[in-house]
Amino acid sequence: MKTLYEILEVSESASNEVIEKAYKVLAKKNHPDLQPEGQKQKAEQVMKQINEAYSVLSDEFKRKQYDEKLKIERQNQEEQRIKSQYQNTYSKTNTVNKTYQEPKTAHNAKQEIKLEKDILKKKQKEMQAQYEQKYQEAYEDYLRRLGYKIKYKWTWKNYRNLLITIVVIMAIGAIVWYFPPTHQMLVDFYESNKVIKTIIDVIGSILVGIWNAIASIFK
């Protein structure tokens, strides 16, 4: 179905002047009185659409309302398309999985059948997780293109990964600090650079203060 912009043959960012000019050109081109006898009825329908489109797009308030409605409709269509694509792919995966789960012969060992089913179930879960992730990424990308900002909630997994990262960085820093060649190099750099020395001294003072405060709590 054509949008009002497509009916007037203008872009969605067209100015009021462009919309008015396009309307006049199309109105003159499709006026029923200027059409052959056999095409007058069709021209009347086209003119009705052109007039309706112009009545909305030439009014600033009506155009704003229409743009919002159009945006929502497109968002819903895109969501439906992504969901449909995901459901079709997932449905095919289930069909393939059920086909493979059927034992080929009756005398197959039960242990082998169970092992095959476990492997296929694991693969199915992996594929489902991949499709869900792709669907989520596609949906978020669509929302970003519409101008929405995506915010993520921090989970226990995020905090755990952050803690692991901090521990790893501290371990690497300790190794570098206590390794004689790099230790001396860091000391020389600290002594020769006043800016770095000031920053490290300030950070060190803050950390010592925090440590003393924590120690006093547990005394």
Side-chain angles (χ1 to χ4, degrees):
M1 186 175 179
K2 284 186 176 182
T3 66
L4 300 184
Y5 293 100
E6 290 172 336
I7 291 173
L8 289 185
E9 299 178 5
V10 296
S11 70
E12 294 182 15
S13 60
S15 63
N16 292 337
E17 291 76 11
V18 171
I19 290 173
E20 185 176 356
K21 185 176 180 181
Y23 168 72
K24 288 179 180 179
V25 171
L26 290 173
K28 184 177 181 181
K29 178 181 175 182
N30 295 280
H31 198 284
D33 294 342
L34 301 177
Q35 306 304 317
E37 190 62 34
Q39 298 182 7
K40 287 185 180 293
Q41 189 174 358
K42 182 180 178 181
E44 288 175 359
Q45 294 295 325
V46 173
M47 275 304 303
K48 184 179 178 182
Q49 292 179 350
I50 292 172
N51 287 330
E52 288 176 354
Y54 179 70
S55 68
V56 173
L57 300 184
S58 61
D59 186 290
E60 186 177 351
F61 179 72
K62 290 181 180 179
R63 182 179 180 182
K64 187 175 181 180
Q65 283 187 320
Y66 176 74
D67 286 344
E68 289 294 329
K69 180 182 176 182
L70 190 63
K71 183 178 179 180
I72 293 171
E73 286 179 356
R74 286 174 174 170
Q75 182 178 349
N76 292 336
Q77 289 173 0
E78 183 67 12
E79 287 177 4
Q80 190 60 38
R81 185 190 68 79
I82 294 173
K83 287 179 181 178
S84 176
Q85 183 179 3
Y86 166 73
Q87 288 170 354
N88 289 338
T89 307
Y90 182 61
S91 177
K92 290 178 182 178
T93 304
N94 280 341
T95 303
V96 172
N97 185 57
K98 288 177 181 178
T99 302
Y100 281 120
Q101 283 182 341
E102 293 297 328
K104 294 182 180 179
T105 58
H107 63 272
N108 281 338
K110 289 184 178 180
Q111 191 64 31
E112 288 185 12
I113 295 174
K114 184 177 182 303
L115 182 61
E116 287 179 4
K117 286 184 177 181
D118 290 342
I119 292 172
L120 288 171
K121 283 181 180 178
K122 184 178 179 181
K123 286 183 178 179
Q124 181 186 3
K125 286 182 180 179
E126 290 175 353
M127 292 181 71
Q128 181 181 353
Q130 289 176 1
Y131 288 131
E132 287 177 351
Q133 183 180 356
K134 287 180 180 178
Y135 166 74
Q136 185 66 23
E137 289 174 355
Y139 182 58
E140 289 177 1
D141 182 61
Y142 172 69
L143 291 178
R144 287 192 190 93
R145 284 189 274 113
L146 290 178
Y148 293 100
K149 291 184 179 180
I150 308 298
K151 292 184 178 180
Y152 300 96
K153 268 190 172 182
W154 271 67
T155 61
W156 165 246
K157 187 177 180 180
N158 297 126
Y159 288 111
R160 185 194 64 188
N161 292 338
L162 177 61
L163 182 62
I164 291 172
T165 303
I166 293 172
V167 170
V168 170
I169 292 172
M170 290 177 66
I172 293 172
I175 292 170
V176 171
W177 177 255
Y178 288 105
F179 187 60
T182 53
H183 175 79
Q184 188 58 45
M185 183 178 68
L186 291 174
V187 170
D188 293 340
F189 181 72
Y190 167 77
E191 294 292 344
S192 61
N193 195 313
K194 292 182 179 180
V195 176
I196 298 297
K197 184 177 181 180
T198 303
I199 293 172
I200 292 175
D201 289 344
V202 170
I203 294 173
S205 300
I206 293 171
L207 292 176
V208 169
I210 294 172
W211 177 260
N212 292 335
I214 294 172
S216 64
I217 293 173
F218 291 99
K219 278 185 178 181

